[in-house]
Amino acid sequence: MTSGGNSLTAAVLLIIMMKVFSVLTQSCPSTMYQAQGLCCQKCPAGNRVKTDCTETAHTSCVACEDGTHMDKPSGLKQCTHCTICDLSFGLKENRTCTSTLDTVCKPEDGFYCVDVAAGSCMAAHKHRQCQPGEYISQTGTAFRDTECSDCSNGTFSDGTLKFCRPHRPCESLNLKLIRPGNATTDAQCEEQDQDNVVPIIIGCLLTILVIGIVIVIVIYVKRKTLCPKRGENNREQ
Ligand SMILES: *[C@@H]1O[C@H](CO)[C@@H](O)[C@H](O)[C@H]1NC(C)=O
Ligand SMILES: *[C@@H]1O[C@H](CO)[C@@H](O)[C@H](O)[C@H]1NC(C)=O
Ligand SMILES: *[C@@H]1O[C@H](CO)[C@@H](O)[C@H](O)[C@H]1NC(C)=O
């Protein structure tokens, strides 16, 4: 009996010593955390600790509040605030925050990412704007800036196009070259007949209009004289 009692005491002592040892060497298993000399069960992702475990009770957990998250099991008493994609950094949301996953940000349209951390964009810059005399040789994306290249000889661009337009070939149009083109501006030719074309077109349109009106009037008058008031009499019967 005494030996049985002794071995029980020894076992209890051993357990207490192991507990103390594990606390001293901080060796709670990875699914547990240390609180007040005990190894407590961690709360699952999406939750935080409400109260630590005791000798007699398990850890008590509660779900993360809106706007906070916990992405892995932990013994923390606070969930982490969700990242806000800051418009003033050129960012918008690519994935909304959930209780287990933080927000993922991406560049706004017209911006590209300059700083990525954990798959989320932290800062973005506006795409560069090509200058007159350049064309957009590579359209910007969320990850890459726009690339610009110079227009080659004989072409021009205002910087908003993906190509440069060739200068107007005045000579081959039998027109007089007034001002040669450069990389930003088209060549200018003398428009020999242009001054006459517009009045002629307007004259033609006016003539057609007048003829049309005359025809309408003639038809109207003819109808009135052919069937005077007959329509009205028929309707009354
Ligand atoms: C947005 O999320 C999708 C899906 O995770 C991903 O494929 C895409 O690259 C992300 N967009 C940006 C701009 O980061
Ligand atoms: C374009 O013009 C410049 C100056 O006139 C000349 O130096 C250059 O060789 C030309 N390039 C081509 C591709 O014709
Ligand atoms: C191109 O021509 C325009 C109009 O003549 C002029 O204003 C501009 O300065 C010229 N640009 C260059 C690079 O020569």
Side-chain angles (χ1 to χ4, degrees), residues 62-100:
V62 334
C64 291
E65 291 81 11
D66 278 354
T68 68
H69 70 99
M70 186 68 75
D71 57 5
K72 49 178 185 282
S74 83
L76 297 174
K77 293 209 164 63
Q78 294 294 328
C79 297
T80 313
H81 281 286
C82 293
T83 301
I84 290 167
C85 301
D86 195 339
L87 211 69
S88 62
F89 287 118
L91 298 173
K92 65 179 180 186
E93 271 188 15
N94 196 19
R95 189 186 69 201
T96 321
C97 191
T98 66
S99 63
T100 56

Side-chain angles (χ1 to χ4, degrees), residues 162-230:
K162 286 186 180 174
F163 52 87
C164 300
R165 293 179 191 283
H167 292 146
R168 200 160 177 226
C170 298
E171 282 88 352
S172 49
L173 294 170
N174 283 324
L175 298 173
K176 202 174 136 202
L177 178 68
I178 296 179
R179 199 185 60 200
N182 60 22
T184 64
T185 318
D186 197 3
Q188 222 177 36
C189 314
E190 188 168 51
E191 304 294 347
Q192 281 150 350
D193 291 323
Q194 201 194 35
D195 289 348
N196 297 332
V197 170
V198 173
I200 288 173
I201 291 174
I202 291 175
C204 284
L205 288 177
L206 273 180
T207 311
I208 292 168
L209 190 67
V210 168
I211 292 173
I213 289 171
V214 168
I215 289 174
V216 167
I217 290 173
V218 167
I219 290 173
Y220 183 72
V221 169
K222 267 198 172 165
R223 279 224 176 132
K224 270 229 152 148
T225 48
L226 276 179
C227 25
K229 303 237 167 185
R230 249 178 65 188

Side-chain angles (χ1 to χ4, degrees), residues 79-130:
C79 297
T80 313
H81 281 286
C82 293
T83 301
I84 290 167
C85 301
D86 195 339
L87 211 69
S88 62
F89 287 118
L91 298 173
K92 65 179 180 186
E93 271 188 15
N94 196 19
R95 189 186 69 201
T96 321
C97 191
T98 66
S99 63
T100 56
L101 291 170
D102 195 8
T103 322
V104 172
C105 304
K106 68 176 176 183
E108 267 190 275
D109 295 341
F111 284 69
Y112 68 104
C113 197
V114 294
D115 184 11
V116 186
S120 182
C121 186
M122 310 301 284
H125 287 172
K126 212 171 166 54
H127 288 150
R128 69 176 283 201
Q129 205 111 36
C130 294

Side-chain angles (χ1 to χ4, degrees), residues 45-65:
N47 290 262
R48 62 180 178 85
V49 174
K50 193 176 166 201
T51 51
D52 293 323
C53 66
T54 62
E55 300 279 1
T56 54
H58 288 298
T59 315
S60 142
C61 304
V62 334
C64 291
E65 291 81 11

